[in-house]
Amino acid sequence: MKLVLAIVSNDDAALVNNSLTKAGFQATKLATTGGFLKSGNTTFIVGTQNDKVDRVIEILRRQCSRRTQIMPSTSAPDGTMYGTYPIEVTVGGATVFVLDVDRFEKL
């Protein structure tokens, strides 16, 4: 048995949740916040059999699109706000961890 932890953008969370449910996977959703952009994320926790992990990852890959977004840059190195320009960053996609499960019980 495996435990899949998937961190996805809030923009993609509804599609991921619906797709996982339609495919028969039970998932727990947690509201999380990223450190770099300080934007909202959703972390999905999915317990599944070893042979179904690739299907979960396929769903995530299909529903979590990477895209660019313009963000205001931080203050200049001297601490002032002048001279800063917006920067383009890549958002979306998914960060996925697959962990071994030593024991599973549904009580």
Side-chain angles (χ1 to χ4, degrees):
M1 178 153 230
K2 300 288 186 181
L3 184 69
V4 180
L5 300 174
I7 304 164
V8 305
S9 168
N10 279 347
D11 295 338
D12 299 325
L15 289 172
V16 169
N17 192 42
N18 290 339
S19 296
L20 287 171
T21 301
K22 281 183 184 178
F25 294 102
Q26 295 180 352
T28 299
K29 287 176 28 176
L30 301 173
T32 54
T33 303
F36 175 61
L37 298 175
K38 300 193 179 16
S39 60
N41 298 317
T42 300
T43 299
F44 287 90
I45 303 172
V46 182
T48 189
Q49 298 301 320
N50 294 6
D51 61 338
K52 295 184 180 179
V53 170
D54 289 338
R55 178 70 177 124
V56 172
I57 293 173
E58 176 186 324
I59 290 168
L60 293 166
R61 185 172 281 119
R62 192 176 59 233
Q63 299 302 338
C64 299
S65 60
R66 289 184 153 273
R67 53 205 169 266
T68 57
Q69 184 174 321
I70 303 297
M71 301 291 294
S73 63
T74 58
S75 61
D78 63 359
T80 63
M81 290 302 289
Y82 73 91
T84 62
Y85 299 96
I87 57 173
E88 187 175 80
V89 295
T90 302
V91 297
T95 301
V96 182
F97 301 91
V98 180
L99 309 167
D100 289 325
V101 175
D102 291 331
R103 184 175 173 172
F104 169 77
E105 292 184 38
K106 193 164 187 171
L107 306 173

